[in-house]
Amino acid sequence: MFGKVLIANRGEIALRIHRACQEMGIRTVAVHSTADATAMHVRLADESVCIGPPSPRDSYLNVAAILSAATITGADAIHPGYGFLSENARFAEMVEAHGFAFIGPAPEHIRMMGDKIAAKEAMRRLGVPLVPGSEGAVPTVEEARAVAREVGYPVLIKAAAGGGGRGMKVARGETELEEAFRVARAEARAAFGDDSVYIEKFLDRPRHIELQVLADTHGNVVHFGERDCSLQRRHQKLVEEAGSPALTAAARDALGAQVTRALAELGYRNAGTLEFLWQDGRFAFIEMNTRLQVEHPVTEMVCGVDLVKEQIRIAAGERLGYRQSDIRFQGHAIECRITAEDPDSFAPSPGRVTMYHAPGGPGVRVDSALYSGYAVPPYYDNLVAKLIVHAPTRAEAIARLRRALAEMVVSGIRTTLPLHQRIVADPEFQAGDYTIHWLERFVARGREARARAA
């Protein structure tokens, strides 16, 4: 087992990794920008190294500075968390080339799954179901028209190197295709330096279902069930559930068996999440994230497993130590992502937290690096806390979540706490009757109602 791990991240995920390491008897090294000098992960780590000014490019994306910090502190391994360099294959290669263990997948699998076209081709080859669409990149609008006519409108044009909704446009008919194709390529080029796009059939009422897996270096692959991540705004998840209110245990088991066989054949290692669209009882693969997910706590709550500790053990060469039949799914868990944004306009709201109170009680977990007096910087992602609840049933989990949201206090900045309170009070959410388009419509209805009231 490692003696010291460098955490190449910040915020709540850096603190989450630190806590797992502490419980395993592993010393930690926090790296930080000048803006994060007083951040909680820096204050609690055994050692800390400043790696640059506030800009992510000069600090948390500064590979040379991170590797230098690992060298001078004598770290054995580097955990990338999520975001920043977590899905950068070149970074993973450089970590290993410098003699450190990378707590994550092999660089070749990060590279493969980072290219959405290569990922789809790999899953096609391994027998995982896909959304109908092009078999590779579509370089011209003429070819785009041919694919669209074959699969039928509406279609979704997506960046091959994309993520987070960038380089993604819907064409509902042939008159919209050329403009959508041009804009998607331009956005892809600006965001990723690669204007390659591909085309998929646009599903009008799908749910976003993802499956959590772990794989060791000895050929063992286990899944930990599904998460329903359908509550999204502009392709950014706000609320996640484990399991899905729409899925049966039989559907979960069938998908899990298919996915674990595919990843075993691929030789995948460490944590990964396969994302699917689910509509009319059918799954269709859309992408794989080769890292720990933001929403991993809901899986931990229903399965009783610490995914971060498992990542570390796998990277150290240990076997999983359990089989699929040992995994039990107990109860229901829901996570709310609390962000430093106005709950109505979604304008960013950095600033000093004058008061912070985390809710408690049975089945309540808060993953956050906030504290009273902390100044939320304007340079990074605006996620400031994750509120997670667990209960025997979904109805009990919702009741617990409503209580916990009412208890939570974050003063001094605007947060999305009021939005989450409105969501969990909505009858359609309580019934589990939603798709990936539901939240956008919910937000729009709220704005219209407030405008009328004004």
Side-chain angles (χ1 to χ4, degrees), residues 162-201:
R166 291 171 294 180
M168 185 183 299
K169 294 295 173 186
V170 177
R172 299 189 178 278
E174 191 154 329
T175 56
E176 298 180 9
L177 184 68
E178 184 172 350
E179 177 68 7
F181 184 81
R182 184 189 64 78
V183 172
R185 292 192 68 184
E187 287 186 3
R189 187 185 308 111
F192 313 110
D194 180 356
D195 65 0
S196 300
V197 296
Y198 62 101
I199 293 179
E200 290 180 341
K201 173 72 175 176

Side-chain angles (χ1 to χ4, degrees), residues 13-309:
I13 190 58
L15 192 56
R16 169 74 184 88
I17 297 164
H18 163 79
R19 287 168 169 159
C21 289
Q22 290 287 288
E23 292 179 12
M24 298 176 75
I26 300 170
R27 291 176 61 81
T28 60
V29 179
V31 294
H32 66 91
S33 70
T34 53
D36 277 338
T38 60
M40 188 60 76
H41 76 283
V42 178
R43 298 171 71 172
L44 293 183
D46 296 295
E47 301 174 60
S48 63
V49 179
C50 182
I51 54 171
S55 167
R57 181 185 61 185
D58 298 322
S59 52
Y60 297 106
L61 297 174
N62 188 335
V63 173
I66 291 169
L67 293 177
S68 296
T71 300
I72 64 175
T73 56
D76 303 305
I78 296 178
H79 197 307
Y82 56 70
F84 293 126
L85 294 167
S86 62
E87 292 181 286
N88 186 310
R90 182 61 182 144
F91 175 63
E93 288 172 338
M94 293 179 71
V95 167
E96 294 178 347
H98 282 75
F100 308 108
F102 181 73
I103 302 176
E108 59 266 28
H109 291 140
I110 298 175
R111 183 171 287 112
M112 175 191 294
M113 295 303 166
D115 181 332
K116 302 302 186 288
I117 293 173
K120 288 188 68 174
E121 181 52 39
M123 290 299 145
R124 189 194 314 276
R125 188 177 70 251
L126 294 166
V128 176
L130 304 176
V131 179
S134 61
E135 293 189 5
V138 179
T140 67
V141 71
E142 289 74 21
E143 291 184 54
R145 286 196 185 98
V147 173
R149 289 175 187 141
E150 181 180 349
V151 301
Y153 287 97
V155 296
L156 188 61
I157 304 163
K158 302 174 71 174
R166 291 171 294 180
M168 185 183 299
K169 294 295 173 186
V170 177
R172 299 189 178 278
E174 191 154 329
T175 56
E176 298 180 9
L177 184 68
E178 184 172 350
E179 177 68 7
F181 184 81
R182 184 189 64 78
V183 172
R185 292 192 68 184
E187 287 186 3
R189 187 185 308 111
F192 313 110
D194 180 356
D195 65 0
S196 300
V197 296
Y198 62 101
I199 293 179
E200 290 180 341
K201 173 72 175 176
F202 179 72
L203 302 180
D204 59 351
R205 47 186 175 79
R207 296 181 83 107
H208 184 134
I209 306 289
E210 61 185 31
L211 196 79
Q212 176 70 59
V213 296
L214 283 176
D216 64 21
T217 55
H218 307 278
N220 302 301
V221 185
V222 170
H223 77 83
F224 294 86
E226 84 283 4
R227 295 185 289 255
D228 196 320
C229 304
S230 303
L231 291 176
Q232 305 175 13
R233 176 182 173 270
R234 296 184 178 176
H235 307 286
Q236 299 297 313
K237 302 165 186 172
L238 268 73
V239 180
E240 300 97 355
E241 303 192 54
S244 169
L247 222 59
T248 65
R252 169 206 295 152
D253 292 344
L255 180 65
Q258 196 169 33
V259 164
T260 53
R261 282 195 303 269
L263 293 190
E265 185 176 336
L266 195 64
Y268 190 82
R269 75 169 194 227
N270 216 278
T273 296
L274 287 89
E275 302 197 351
F276 296 84
L277 294 179
W278 182 86
Q279 183 172 304
D280 299 328
R282 296 183 178 181
F283 286 98
F285 172 82
I286 49 175
E287 66 181 19
M288 181 176 183
N289 293 310
T290 53
R291 55 168 168 81
L292 191 69
Q293 293 282 85
V294 176
E295 59 272 19
H296 74 274
V298 290
T299 297
E300 294 182 324
M301 300 291 267
V302 298
C303 293
V305 62
D306 188 316
L307 293 172
V308 177
K309 288 182 181 178

Side-chain angles (χ1 to χ4, degrees), residues 364-426:
V364 176
R365 166 179 168 179
V366 179
D367 284 15
S368 177
L370 287 183
Y371 59 86
S372 295
Y374 174 66
V376 176
Y379 313 105
Y380 313 114
D381 184 271
N382 51 34
L383 177 68
V384 293
K386 299 183 312 199
L387 171 59
I388 309 103
V389 298
H390 179 247
T393 67
R394 185 173 186 269
E396 291 171 286
I398 291 173
R400 182 161 288 168
L401 181 58
R402 294 182 72 171
R403 187 265 297 170
L405 285 165
E407 282 185 21
M408 192 168 186
V409 177
V410 183
S411 300
I413 60 172
R414 302 277 286 169
T415 74
T416 50
L417 275 169
L419 172 63
H420 286 288
Q421 289 177 311
R422 294 195 293 266
I423 290 171
V424 300
D426 188 89

